[in-house]
Amino acid sequence: LHSTSRRQRQMCIRDSLSSVSMVYNPQYYGDVEKMEAAYEESLQKHITPQGTTWEQIGVHELGHAALAKIIGTRYDDIGAMERDWNKDLTAGEIVKEAVGAMGISNREARAALRQISLYAAQSPSEAVGEALLDTYANGQEAQPLSQSIMEVLQRWLSRSNRK
């Protein structure tokens, strides 16, 4: 997706997740000034990707929705889906595939995840969410691993749409 326009990226994501709806907690998200301040602090501490804004926070959550969609097409029973979700299996495979496509070592991959954000380095599912946010906000200027994760995620979504 890194070579496409922002509009094309939005359309690809929208088409893949056309039946997803998200509800935000108004106690946390209802105070705009509080959200802006908290997000600015997260940017300063590199907890979230640079070049993003608090208004884009939901994009990260779409990364989790994309994972849920993929997981839902991989298994026939809810137990297997829960196991995958709780153990970050699909997210781990996506990140591993993206790292492999870049041809970097595990040590370089850990550093590349921290370049996306400190939150991305916490778990594969958070890496997917942060990569989606980074590429949405920054396009071709997004971190290379974010771009690679997005390319892999898009392939996996395309396959899950065919099932």
Side-chain angles (χ1 to χ4, degrees), residues 87-152:
K87 294 187 177 285
D88 257 355
L89 300 177
T90 294
E93 289 177 46
I94 289 170
V95 172
K96 183 177 180 180
E97 187 176 326
V99 166
M102 291 179 66
I104 59 177
S105 69
N106 287 339
R107 184 177 185 203
E108 291 168 321
R110 287 189 298 274
L113 285 167
R114 288 189 302 274
Q115 286 296 314
I116 296 170
S117 74
L118 296 177
Y119 199 41
Q122 287 187 359
S123 71
S125 60
E126 298 307 341
V128 171
E130 294 290 84
L132 181 56
L133 174 57
D134 187 21
T135 55
Y136 174 84
N138 296 310
Q140 291 186 11
E141 300 303 314
Q143 292 295 319
L145 183 53
S146 290
Q147 294 179 41
S148 187
I149 289 170
M150 283 307 304
E151 289 171 3
V152 173

Side-chain angles (χ1 to χ4, degrees), residues 30-69:
D31 185 335
V32 172
E33 289 179 15
K34 187 187 254 183
M35 280 298 304
E36 287 175 341
Y39 204 83
E40 185 58 37
E41 183 178 339
S42 292
L43 282 170
Q44 289 173 5
K45 294 180 178 179
H46 193 54
I47 294 168
T48 196
Q50 300 302 300
T52 62
T53 67
W54 73 270
E55 295 96 341
Q56 299 165 333
I57 199 165
V59 175
H60 168 101
E61 301 308 326
L62 282 174
H64 298 302
L67 287 170
K69 179 172 177 50

Side-chain angles (χ1 to χ4, degrees), residues 69-82:
K69 179 172 177 50
I70 293 166
I71 291 168
T73 62
R74 294 185 82 187
Y75 306 99
D76 290 328
D77 76 88
I78 192 72
M81 290 178 205
E82 287 177 357

Side-chain angles (χ1 to χ4, degrees), residues 9-30:
R9 288 192 307 275
Q10 289 170 336
M11 303 242 339
C12 287
I13 293 164
R14 189 200 69 217
D15 291 345
S16 296
L17 301 173
S18 60
S19 64
V20 171
S21 60
M22 292 187 288
V23 178
Y24 292 96
N25 181 341
Q27 290 183 335
Y28 184 78
Y29 294 100

